[in-house]
Amino acid sequence: EPNGAGLCHVTLGVEGMTCGSCVQSIEGRIGALPGVFHIQVSLEQSNAAVTYDHTRHSPESLAEAIEDMGFECSLSNAASAP
Amino acid sequence: MTTHEFFVDMTCEGCSGAVTRVLNKLDVKFDIDLPNKKVFIESDKDTDVLLETLRKTGKTVTYIGPK
């Protein structure tokens, strides 16, 4: 359930990253999107944990933004949680 | 058809893979030189369009010029 501030959390599977530079590119670009408050990308687990404003983003739109960067993104654990 | 030369700050296979995927969506002919961090794109599209596409990867991109 989103809380009063509209914050949601989602973990997306990201394929195609091989180094720290890939991780930084994603964290930098997705983290700079309006409505994205926090992003943590893990190279070891091939995923991205994102905290976002649910009025501006959805797990689908975030996955699309990552796909747009040239990585394969799946809604592996798309259950939104506060 | 012109071949445009770009500098793209790629450091690994993952970076060049990302560049490959965004360029595949644009439907242009291209060649990636990972060790030299260069991307050659054969296209009549505006260089701004090509630059914008390469920048989608979140990497530093500069246009060097026609080859």
mmCIF file of all heavy atoms in Angstrom, chain B residues 20-43:
data_model
loop_
_atom_site.group_PDB
_atom_site.id
_atom_site.type_symbol
_atom_site.label_atom_id
_atom_site.label_comp_id
_atom_site.label_asym_id
_atom_site.label_seq_id
_atom_site.Cartn_x
_atom_site.Cartn_y
_atom_site.Cartn_z
ATOM 1 N N THR B 20 24.395 -1.033 -28.662
ATOM 2 C CA THR B 20 23.876 -1.884 -29.740
ATOM 3 C C THR B 20 22.355 -1.933 -29.725
ATOM 4 O O THR B 20 21.707 -1.771 -30.757
ATOM 5 C CB THR B 20 24.421 -3.330 -29.585
ATOM 6 O OG1 THR B 20 25.839 -3.291 -29.636
ATOM 7 C CG2 THR B 20 23.906 -4.227 -30.703
ATOM 8 N N ARG B 21 21.788 -2.110 -28.536
ATOM 9 C CA ARG B 21 20.333 -2.230 -28.447
ATOM 10 C C ARG B 21 19.596 -0.933 -28.783
ATOM 11 O O ARG B 21 18.579 -0.960 -29.464
ATOM 12 C CB ARG B 21 19.913 -2.766 -27.078
ATOM 13 C CG ARG B 21 20.142 -4.280 -26.983
ATOM 14 C CD ARG B 21 19.520 -4.873 -25.735
ATOM 15 N NE ARG B 21 20.304 -4.544 -24.548
ATOM 16 C CZ ARG B 21 21.285 -5.299 -24.068
ATOM 17 N NH1 ARG B 21 21.598 -6.420 -24.649
ATOM 18 N NH2 ARG B 21 21.937 -4.932 -23.002
ATOM 19 N N VAL B 22 20.124 0.219 -28.323
ATOM 20 C CA VAL B 22 19.426 1.468 -28.664
ATOM 21 C C VAL B 22 19.547 1.771 -30.163
ATOM 22 O O VAL B 22 18.614 2.287 -30.774
ATOM 23 C CB VAL B 22 19.869 2.697 -27.825
ATOM 24 C CG1 VAL B 22 19.490 2.549 -26.374
ATOM 25 C CG2 VAL B 22 21.330 3.007 -27.973
ATOM 26 N N LEU B 23 20.705 1.422 -30.751
ATOM 27 C CA LEU B 23 20.875 1.680 -32.188
ATOM 28 C C LEU B 23 20.050 0.709 -33.034
ATOM 29 O O LEU B 23 19.575 1.066 -34.106
ATOM 30 C CB LEU B 23 22.353 1.630 -32.577
ATOM 31 C CG LEU B 23 23.208 2.811 -32.094
ATOM 32 C CD1 LEU B 23 24.663 2.609 -32.463
ATOM 33 C CD2 LEU B 23 22.706 4.128 -32.667
ATOM 34 N N ASN B 24 19.885 -0.513 -32.535
ATOM 35 C CA ASN B 24 19.034 -1.478 -33.255
ATOM 36 C C ASN B 24 17.609 -0.956 -33.383
ATOM 37 O O ASN B 24 16.959 -1.139 -34.403
ATOM 38 C CB ASN B 24 19.013 -2.829 -32.536
ATOM 39 C CG ASN B 24 20.222 -3.680 -32.904
ATOM 40 O OD1 ASN B 24 20.841 -3.467 -33.949
ATOM 41 N ND2 ASN B 24 20.543 -4.634 -32.054
ATOM 42 N N LYS B 25 17.142 -0.283 -32.330
ATOM 43 C CA LYS B 25 15.780 0.264 -32.346
ATOM 44 C C LYS B 25 15.657 1.397 -33.364
ATOM 45 O O LYS B 25 14.588 1.656 -33.886
ATOM 46 C CB LYS B 25 15.401 0.789 -30.951
ATOM 47 C CG LYS B 25 15.104 -0.313 -29.964
ATOM 48 C CD LYS B 25 14.690 0.276 -28.615
ATOM 49 C CE LYS B 25 14.817 -0.764 -27.515
ATOM 50 N NZ LYS B 25 14.755 -0.175 -26.179
ATOM 51 N N LEU B 26 16.782 2.093 -33.618
ATOM 52 C CA LEU B 26 16.772 3.215 -34.542
ATOM 53 C C LEU B 26 16.841 2.738 -35.994
ATOM 54 O O LEU B 26 16.557 3.504 -36.917
ATOM 55 C CB LEU B 26 17.966 4.127 -34.229
ATOM 56 C CG LEU B 26 17.946 5.552 -34.770
ATOM 57 C CD1 LEU B 26 16.795 6.330 -34.178
ATOM 58 C CD2 LEU B 26 19.265 6.245 -34.470
ATOM 59 N N ASP B 27 17.234 1.470 -36.170
ATOM 60 C CA ASP B 27 17.311 0.880 -37.501
ATOM 61 C C ASP B 27 18.342 1.579 -38.402
ATOM 62 O O ASP B 27 18.012 2.094 -39.463
ATOM 63 C CB ASP B 27 15.916 0.898 -38.164
ATOM 64 C CG ASP B 27 15.860 -0.056 -39.366
ATOM 65 O OD1 ASP B 27 16.658 -1.009 -39.376
ATOM 66 O OD2 ASP B 27 15.038 0.177 -40.262
ATOM 67 N N VAL B 28 19.593 1.603 -37.932
ATOM 68 C CA VAL B 28 20.679 2.157 -38.746
ATOM 69 C C VAL B 28 21.832 1.141 -38.789
ATOM 70 O O VAL B 28 21.903 0.241 -37.956
ATOM 71 C CB VAL B 28 21.230 3.489 -38.155
ATOM 72 C CG1 VAL B 28 20.231 4.607 -38.316
ATOM 73 C CG2 VAL B 28 21.630 3.329 -36.698
ATOM 74 N N LYS B 29 22.712 1.306 -39.751
ATOM 75 C CA LYS B 29 23.901 0.458 -39.816
ATOM 76 C C LYS B 29 24.974 1.095 -38.949
ATOM 77 O O LYS B 29 25.203 2.303 -39.017
ATOM 78 C CB LYS B 29 24.410 0.364 -41.263
ATOM 79 C CG LYS B 29 23.759 -0.769 -42.053
ATOM 80 C CD LYS B 29 24.419 -0.929 -43.409
ATOM 81 C CE LYS B 29 25.759 -1.651 -43.297
ATOM 82 N NZ LYS B 29 26.367 -1.844 -44.648
ATOM 83 N N PHE B 30 25.630 0.281 -38.126
ATOM 84 C CA PHE B 30 26.651 0.857 -37.253
ATOM 85 C C PHE B 30 27.749 -0.149 -36.921
ATOM 86 O O PHE B 30 27.593 -1.350 -37.128
ATOM 87 C CB PHE B 30 26.006 1.373 -35.965
ATOM 88 C CG PHE B 30 25.339 0.281 -35.158
ATOM 89 C CD1 PHE B 30 26.036 -0.369 -34.153
ATOM 90 C CD2 PHE B 30 24.034 -0.080 -35.408
ATOM 91 C CE1 PHE B 30 25.424 -1.383 -33.410
ATOM 92 C CE2 PHE B 30 23.417 -1.092 -34.670
ATOM 93 C CZ PHE B 30 24.119 -1.740 -33.683
ATOM 94 N N ASP B 31 28.844 0.388 -36.411
ATOM 95 C CA ASP B 31 29.990 -0.432 -36.054
ATOM 96 C C ASP B 31 30.545 0.115 -34.739
ATOM 97 O O ASP B 31 30.718 1.320 -34.589
ATOM 98 C CB ASP B 31 31.033 -0.310 -37.178
ATOM 99 C CG ASP B 31 32.110 -1.366 -37.027
ATOM 100 O OD1 ASP B 31 31.783 -2.481 -36.595
ATOM 101 O OD2 ASP B 31 33.273 -1.042 -37.316
ATOM 102 N N ILE B 32 30.795 -0.779 -33.772
ATOM 103 C CA ILE B 32 31.290 -0.330 -32.472
ATOM 104 C C ILE B 32 32.737 -0.774 -32.270
ATOM 105 O O ILE B 32 33.062 -1.940 -32.442
ATOM 106 C CB ILE B 32 30.390 -0.864 -31.324
ATOM 107 C CG1 ILE B 32 28.984 -0.282 -31.461
ATOM 108 C CG2 ILE B 32 30.990 -0.492 -29.964
ATOM 109 C CD1 ILE B 32 27.991 -0.829 -30.462
ATOM 110 N N ASP B 33 33.567 0.207 -31.918
ATOM 111 C CA ASP B 33 34.963 -0.068 -31.617
ATOM 112 C C ASP B 33 35.142 0.162 -30.115
ATOM 113 O O ASP B 33 35.415 1.274 -29.668
ATOM 114 C CB ASP B 33 35.834 0.901 -32.450
ATOM 115 C CG ASP B 33 37.321 0.672 -32.192
ATOM 116 O OD1 ASP B 33 37.653 -0.114 -31.285
ATOM 117 O OD2 ASP B 33 38.127 1.300 -32.893
ATOM 118 N N LEU B 34 34.943 -0.896 -29.349
ATOM 119 C CA LEU B 34 34.958 -0.786 -27.882
ATOM 120 C C LEU B 34 36.313 -0.331 -27.312
ATOM 121 O O LEU B 34 36.346 0.580 -26.493
ATOM 122 C CB LEU B 34 34.488 -2.112 -27.263
ATOM 123 C CG LEU B 34 34.386 -2.197 -25.740
ATOM 124 C CD1 LEU B 34 33.480 -1.127 -25.179
ATOM 125 C CD2 LEU B 34 33.889 -3.573 -25.318
ATOM 126 N N PRO B 35 37.442 -0.931 -27.743
ATOM 127 C CA PRO B 35 38.723 -0.502 -27.161
ATOM 128 C C PRO B 35 38.998 0.991 -27.358
ATOM 129 O O PRO B 35 39.591 1.641 -26.488
ATOM 130 C CB PRO B 35 39.758 -1.331 -27.924
ATOM 131 C CG PRO B 35 39.021 -2.499 -28.445
ATOM 132 C CD PRO B 35 37.608 -2.045 -28.682
ATOM 133 N N ASN B 36 38.569 1.542 -28.475
ATOM 134 C CA ASN B 36 38.811 2.973 -28.735
ATOM 135 C C ASN B 36 37.623 3.865 -28.383
ATOM 136 O O ASN B 36 37.649 5.070 -28.640
ATOM 137 C CB ASN B 36 39.195 3.160 -30.201
ATOM 138 C CG ASN B 36 40.545 2.544 -30.508
ATOM 139 O OD1 ASN B 36 41.512 2.797 -29.816
ATOM 140 N ND2 ASN B 36 40.598 1.694 -31.515
ATOM 141 N N LYS B 37 36.588 3.257 -27.824
ATOM 142 C CA LYS B 37 35.389 3.984 -27.407
ATOM 143 C C LYS B 37 34.764 4.779 -28.551
ATOM 144 O O LYS B 37 34.352 5.927 -28.364
ATOM 145 C CB LYS B 37 35.708 4.919 -26.228
ATOM 146 C CG LYS B 37 36.241 4.194 -25.003
ATOM 147 C CD LYS B 37 36.374 5.146 -23.833
ATOM 148 C CE LYS B 37 36.818 4.394 -22.585
ATOM 149 N NZ LYS B 37 36.794 5.228 -21.392
ATOM 150 N N LYS B 38 34.737 4.160 -29.732
ATOM 151 C CA LYS B 38 34.177 4.837 -30.901
ATOM 152 C C LYS B 38 32.958 4.077 -31.426
ATOM 153 O O LYS B 38 32.907 2.845 -31.348
ATOM 154 C CB LYS B 38 35.219 4.901 -32.024
ATOM 155 C CG LYS B 38 36.454 5.724 -31.707
ATOM 156 C CD LYS B 38 36.182 7.195 -31.840
ATOM 157 C CE LYS B 38 37.392 8.017 -31.425
ATOM 158 N NZ LYS B 38 38.571 7.746 -32.258
ATOM 159 N N VAL B 39 32.021 4.850 -31.949
ATOM 160 C CA VAL B 39 30.866 4.255 -32.613
ATOM 161 C C VAL B 39 30.740 4.914 -33.987
ATOM 162 O O VAL B 39 30.756 6.143 -34.091
ATOM 163 C CB VAL B 39 29.561 4.461 -31.804
ATOM 164 C CG1 VAL B 39 28.356 3.903 -32.560
ATOM 165 C CG2 VAL B 39 29.655 3.788 -30.439
ATOM 166 N N PHE B 40 30.674 4.097 -35.027
ATOM 167 C CA PHE B 40 30.511 4.608 -36.380
ATOM 168 C C PHE B 40 29.105 4.285 -36.851
ATOM 169 O O PHE B 40 28.696 3.120 -36.843
ATOM 170 C CB PHE B 40 31.537 3.960 -37.317
ATOM 171 C CG PHE B 40 32.961 4.227 -36.909
ATOM 172 C CD1 PHE B 40 33.666 3.311 -36.140
ATOM 173 C CD2 PHE B 40 33.583 5.411 -37.277
ATOM 174 C CE1 PHE B 40 34.972 3.559 -35.744
ATOM 175 C CE2 PHE B 40 34.902 5.672 -36.887
ATOM 176 C CZ PHE B 40 35.597 4.741 -36.119
ATOM 177 N N ILE B 41 28.373 5.315 -37.227
ATOM 178 C CA ILE B 41 26.999 5.098 -37.665
ATOM 179 C C ILE B 41 26.841 5.551 -39.110
ATOM 180 O O ILE B 41 27.208 6.678 -39.458
ATOM 181 C CB ILE B 41 25.985 5.864 -36.781
ATOM 182 C CG1 ILE B 41 26.194 5.500 -35.306
ATOM 183 C CG2 ILE B 41 24.550 5.541 -37.207
ATOM 184 C CD1 ILE B 41 25.325 6.302 -34.354
ATOM 185 N N GLU B 42 26.306 4.637 -39.924
ATOM 186 C CA GLU B 42 26.062 4.950 -41.325
ATOM 187 C C GLU B 42 24.601 5.325 -41.467
ATOM 188 O O GLU B 42 23.715 4.478 -41.370
ATOM 189 C CB GLU B 42 26.361 3.701 -42.158
ATOM 190 C CG GLU B 42 26.639 3.979 -43.615
ATOM 191 C CD GLU B 42 26.946 2.697 -44.348
ATOM 192 O OE1 GLU B 42 27.929 2.020 -43.983
ATOM 193 O OE2 GLU B 42 26.171 2.364 -45.259
ATOM 194 N N SER B 43 24.340 6.625 -41.645
ATOM 195 C CA SER B 43 22.958 7.080 -41.690
ATOM 196 C C SER B 43 22.852 8.464 -42.290
ATOM 197 O O SER B 43 23.781 9.263 -42.203
ATOM 198 C CB SER B 43 22.385 7.089 -40.270
ATOM 199 O OG SER B 43 21.162 7.767 -40.245
#
